[in-house]
Amino acid sequence: TQLLEQSPQFLSIQEGENLTVYCNSSSVFSSLQWYRQEPGEGPVLLVTVVTGGEVKKLKRLTFQFGDARKDSSLHITAAQPGDTGLYLCAVPLNNNDMRFGAGTRLTVKP
Amino acid sequence: SQTIHQWPATLVQPVGSPLSLECTVEGTSNPNLYWYRQAAGRGLQLLFYSVGIGQISSEVPQNLSASRPQDRQFILSSKKLLLSDSGFYLCAWSDKNEKLFFGSGTQLSVL
């Protein structure tokens, strides 16, 4: 069983549409991070959420940490082709260990 | 500013051959260092992490090993590669805020 379950696994939408992807767990975390990865490159950190219920906005991206700090969502408004990529959530565990979900592969068609 | 270098970008190796992937970090001291492997288009599997010189934690028993001979150098090795070792290998470092900064990755194909 994965520590972090990300859904959907794949998502293909048209430019201009809105979307939400999810990162769920049965465990409680001190913080949670979202990364975006483009093909052939390493993931790039988008945001870190720390407080239960916290909402952070990064341009058209809205990140929310669940009240119980077990889950998170990423909402994209008016998606653009440049948003295409693999979206990964990650959490720090004890002893400096960072664990990732399997990711949501987003394709935004022009 | 901090930078991370990982090489080579692409590698094709025959089964049974050795492997050495190198990662170096500049602009920071005593970073936590990580090796991840990623199957095609999927999530990252943590292989090794290190909190200091000579300190290696292994997450998955396998055909690979890691070493940290210097503070900002992390090496991934194998004595004999298997077909199942193929994948995209990513090195990363983290700061005290637990943010990960990744290298550009090495695409390894074992044939």
Side-chain angles (χ1 to χ4, degrees), chain A residues 42-90:
Chain A
V44 175
L45 179 67
L46 297 174
V47 77
T48 301
V49 287
V50 179
T51 306
E54 180 178 6
V55 176
K56 281 192 174 179
K57 292 192 174 183
L58 184 65
K59 297 183 180 178
R60 293 175 293 100
L61 278 61
T62 301
F63 304 85
Q64 184 163 10
F65 202 13
D67 291 340
R69 290 184 287 123
K70 293 182 178 181
D71 50 70
S72 181
S73 63
L74 160 57
H75 181 80
I76 303 179
T77 303
Q80 299 177 1
D83 296 325
T84 293
L86 181 67
Y87 287 83
L88 297 157
C89 62

Side-chain angles (χ1 to χ4, degrees), chain A residues 33 45 96, chain B residues 2 28-34 92-101:
Chain A
Q33 300 172 358
L45 179 67
N96 304 291
Chain B
Q2 302 88 359
T28 187
S29 59
N30 197 31
N32 294 334
L33 297 173
Y34 303 80
W93 71 275
S94 70
D95 59 12
K96 291 180 173 58
N97 294 320
E98 299 173 328
K99 299 176 184 177
L100 278 178
F101 301 91

